[in-house]
Each structure stands twice: as C-alpha cells, then as structure tokens.
Amino acid sequence: MGKKYEESLLYALKNRQKMEEYQGVPLLVKNLPDSDEKGAMDPRLYEDSKKNLKIMAWMPSFLMKMDTSEKGIANLRKMFNGVKSVPCVEEKITIENRLVKAEDEYQIPVRIYKKSSGEVDTKAVFYYIHGGGFFGGSPDVVEEAVKMFVAKTGLVAVSVDYRLAPENPYPTGHKDCYRVLQWIGENKELFGEGAYRIFVSGDSAGGNLAQYCTTRDMEDGKHLIKGQLLLYPTLNMAQVQDEYYKPELEQYEMAPKQKRGLKKMLGMFAGMSGGLESVLGTKDVKNNYLNPYTKNPEGTPPTFLTVGEHDFLKMETLGYGVKLHKAGVEIKMVLYKGFGHAYIDNIGVYPQSEDCIDEMANFVREHCEKTLRTGENSLFSFGLK
C-alpha cells in the first residue's frame, strides 16, 4: 500500500514553511500545504475527523472526562493501540526481536531495526519510546515511523515495549525504558560506536519517558545521549503555571466553522495529562521525572521539540522549549499548523507525518556531525544520507 497523498503536498509543505519567533525563541512553522485559512485544520485531517468533531461539539462536558476505571482504561487502550499508519516504506527493513533483563528480572521486549541493503550506519543509535498515556500504545503503533526514519538515515533504531500502568505502577515503565538505554550503551558489539552516541525520542507520554532517560543519563554521568527528540511530550503533569505556560484556550487560533468542536476536543484532552495519578499509582507527579517542566534544564543535550497547532500539549511543549533556550540548551522547535496530537502515528496518511520524520532525521544528522567535528570519537566518519 502506498501513501495516501501526492508527493507534491510534501514539497508544498516544505516550501511554505516559515521561521518565526515564540517568546524570543526561533520557531519553524509548517503552514498547511494547500490552504491559507487561519486556524483551520488540515483539510485531510478534517475530512477524517469531522464526524467525531460534530459529535463532540454537542456532547455534554461531563461525558468527556477521562474514565480511569478498569473498563475505561480497556476502552482507551483499544483506541490508543490501533495502528493508523499505512505501509509505505519501500526499502526493506529487518526487525530483530530481543529481550533485555530489567532490574526485577523481567524480560523487556525490544525491536532492533536495520536497513537490509547496503552498509548499516552504526555511528549513532535512534532509540524510540512509544506514547499512549503510560497505559496504552505499543511499538506496533509507531513501527512505520521508525522504519521510515531508518530508511531515510541508514541508522540502527531500537524500539521498546515497556510495561504499562496501571498493572505496573510508576516507576516501572520509566525504569524499563532507562534499562534499555543502558543496555544499548553496554553493547558495542551490536551497535558499534552508536552505543555511545544515542538519540532518544518519544511521543506524548513517550516524550516524558525519553526525557526521563536523558535526566537519568545525566545524573549517572554516562552522557550516552547526544540529543533528544520529544514529540508533543507530556512534560507538565502537575499543570504548574508560570510565565511560559498558561493553559488558556485564547492561545489557540481556531477557524470559526471548526471552533466549537476543537474547543471541546482541547477541553477533553487537557485534563488527561493532569489526571494520570490514579493510572500511574502515585500522587507525586511534581517530581523531576514525571514533571520535567519544573526541573532545572541546564546541561540538557540538544533537544528537538514538535507539536501541533491544536494540540492540548502545545503550550507546555513550547513553554519548555523557551525554558531550555534560556538555560543555554540548543533546541529546535517545529509547529505544525492545522494539526493536533499524535501525527507521528499517521505515517503514509498525512504529509506532515513524513515531514516530521524528515525534520527528525535532519536534527540527528546535524548533531551527530557536530559531535564528530568537535573531536568526540573523531576517528569515525559520518555517512547519513
């Protein structure tokens, strides 16, 4: 099955992008490829979502609260675990399944992705952590995205199937993800020099888990992570407001014809990141691991942040970017107009999803080359395509 969009839309998306500023920080804005309507959803996304938007527009607010009961979690998992991408990566990618022993002897499933043809580039490892609210999602949901990244870069990628809450309370899933990072660093025979040059990435709750890996890596003094790529990440679970973060609907531009449905959608999901204590099994969501938004970000490795214009996590994502920038961290922020949450789950469906992979590949390429130019492991050349 091929992509559901013409390549011309991907080119138009790149040609229409503009560099702007957000609170004094550079922000790459990806305008819609074929529409100038302010605050409008991408036409393809709107066509796929309009039925649900119309239902939400008239649904009472009390029916839209997150249900964390056993039945509610089961229903949400069905929604979060659905594979929305379409198979479109033409290059053959091999997938090897391995098990990594956790602290408590549990065997954590991981997948290793490599290009089947040509020389495999082992000078960096791309480590991806799926999202899903800490209680849902799976490597299957993001597999096409990981395969596309590998096809475009030639790098080796690792994806982890960490244990989910509420059956496995916090910090089980977080520790699983960090253990796999350590395992990559311990296996030069598998990953070459990439074992010491890791780029960690994750979407939504996976972004929180990726930041946790970075924080632990810094605390332990290993510095295996040379960059992190956080996609619409869950960063401020405690909903701490400051000069950079104020969760106000006035900060969202919405086209009049879609405004009612978008407001209901934003309202429904806005409470999700702040209502996960019962799912995670902890009341301490203000700690630096679950709420990295409030920790001192100094020393954080180069960071890539991306979020959609209508994402309920937009303000905390951009606010975090500002805080990183002010702390001297090298960052790149990308905003997709007309999109909300979870676009990396839609590879082959929307051009923005593929464009996001391109931006991620460029970020990894740039920062891996920088580590080589500055003398770190300088005996090795770098051949990303």
Side-chain angles (χ1 to χ4, degrees), residues 25-209:
V25 182
L27 174 66
L28 182 59
V29 176
K30 299 281 187 170
N31 292 305
L32 294 174
D34 51 356
S35 173
D36 293 315
E37 187 177 0
K38 299 293 184 183
M41 294 175 66
D42 178 90
R44 289 149 292 277
L45 178 62
Y46 178 68
E47 189 62 31
D48 292 340
S49 309
K50 64 182 181 182
K51 181 178 179 180
N52 288 334
L53 280 172
K54 288 178 180 177
I55 292 172
M56 278 192 281
W58 301 104
M59 187 178 291
S61 297
F62 72 89
L63 291 177
M64 301 181 72
K65 291 183 178 179
M66 181 177 172
D67 181 3
T68 57
S69 67
E70 185 177 341
K71 183 178 179 181
I73 292 295
N75 290 333
L76 285 168
R77 278 180 177 161
K78 288 180 183 178
M79 180 172 66
F80 288 178
N81 292 10
V83 176
K84 302 177 183 67
S85 294
V86 297
C88 62
V89 176
E90 296 180 358
E91 190 151 3
K92 179 69 174 175
I93 307 295
T94 63
I95 305 172
E96 179 184 356
N97 293 291
R98 291 240 179 178
L99 296 172
V100 177
K101 187 181 292 187
E103 289 182 6
D104 60 359
E105 304 297 315
Y106 174 78
Q107 297 292 319
I108 309 165
V110 300
R111 302 177 189 180
I112 303 172
Y113 299 79
K114 297 178 182 178
K115 288 176 68 172
S116 300
S117 60
E119 185 178 349
V120 175
D121 198 324
T122 58
K123 298 176 183 67
V125 170
F126 180 67
Y127 174 33
Y128 198 86
I129 305 172
H130 72 80
F134 305 105
F135 59 82
S138 79
D140 293 338
V141 176
V142 295
E143 182 147 283
E144 199 68 15
V146 176
K147 287 169 64 177
M148 180 173 280
F149 182 92
V150 171
K152 286 177 179 283
T153 64
L155 289 177
V156 177
V158 176
S159 181
V160 57
D161 193 5
Y162 56 91
R163 283 174 282 182
L164 300 175
E167 295 88 348
N168 304 283
Y170 170 79
T172 305
H174 286 70
K175 286 186 173 182
D176 283 355
C177 292
Y178 185 56
R179 176 66 197 112
V180 171
L181 177 79
Q182 293 174 309
W183 172 78
I184 296 171
E186 294 163 358
N187 280 279
K188 185 178 177 182
E189 69 277 10
L190 273 178
F191 303 109
E193 294 305 313
Y196 317 131
R197 190 181 294 108
I198 302 169
F199 288 81
V200 65
S201 182
D203 62 282
S204 196
N208 181 286
L209 292 158

